[in-house]
Amino acid sequence: MHQYLKIAEKIYDQVQSKNGFSDDPVEDLNNLMIELRGVIKASGFKLLYNYINFEDLLMNSKDLSINLDVSILPKSKNKGEYILWLSGFVEKLVVPNKKTESKQKSKVVVPNYYYDDLGNIVSKTKNSSEEIISYFKHKETV
């Protein structure tokens, strides 16, 4: 969710600096989509929809295939509330690319031991006794 908040903050700042917000929600939503396209190009996401008719979406959102609720569009003067709403809006409109999913590391830690047939713990790493002895001899000389 934090990546959507970052995108929403960028979009809000860009719309505020370039065009400003108006009292017309359709114009604001169209400006948001223009900036969203620009921000998405630089990130690891892609848009789900190429075109959204916001006038139809505001009038009869239940009849359309897009599941977006823009009826609770907050006032742009409330920056924090607007950015939170915008992050949820962005989350419904974009999906991560395959590249960003592969960058995430696995959080599963694989142990370096296993149990033998008798239930004894056996280390997977092969440390020979000579390596251990040489380690301690080297440590004594230092």
Side-chain angles (χ1 to χ4, degrees), residues 17-18 62 67 72 82:
S17 65
K18 288 183 182 177
K62 294 178 182 174
N67 188 13
I72 56 171
Y82 198 86

Side-chain angles (χ1 to χ4, degrees), residues 1 6-7 22 32 54 56 61 92 99 126 138 142:
M1 182 70 175
K6 289 180 183 179
I7 292 172
S22 66
L32 289 173
F54 289 112
D56 287 345
S61 62
K92 292 178 183 177
K99 296 175 187 174
K126 299 289 182 182
H138 176 70
V142 173

Side-chain angles (χ1 to χ4, degrees), residues 18-37:
K18 288 183 182 177
N19 306 330
F21 289 96
S22 66
D23 291 334
D24 183 20
V26 174
E27 184 180 340
D28 287 343
L29 289 169
N30 285 328
N31 289 335
L32 289 173
M33 285 302 293
I34 291 169
E35 296 303 324
L36 176 62
R37 283 189 179 96

Side-chain angles (χ1 to χ4, degrees), residues 76-140:
S76 60
K77 294 175 185 174
N78 303 333
K79 183 177 179 177
E81 182 179 342
Y82 198 86
I83 288 175
L84 285 174
W85 173 84
L86 186 56
S87 67
F89 181 73
V90 168
E91 185 177 9
K92 292 178 183 177
L93 290 178
V94 300
V95 292
N97 282 341
K98 304 277 188 229
K99 296 175 187 174
T100 58
E101 292 174 4
S102 64
K103 289 182 183 178
Q104 296 176 352
K105 292 183 179 180
S106 174
K107 294 184 180 183
V108 176
V109 178
V110 180
N112 60 352
Y113 62 88
Y114 64 95
Y115 294 99
D116 63 1
D117 295 336
L118 301 174
N120 298 326
I121 297 176
V122 179
S123 177
K124 288 182 182 178
T125 58
K126 299 289 182 182
N127 287 337
S128 65
S129 60
E130 293 86 24
E131 290 177 359
I132 296 171
I133 293 170
S134 66
Y135 171 78
F136 283 111
K137 282 183 180 179
H138 176 70
K139 197 167 188 173
E140 288 175 359

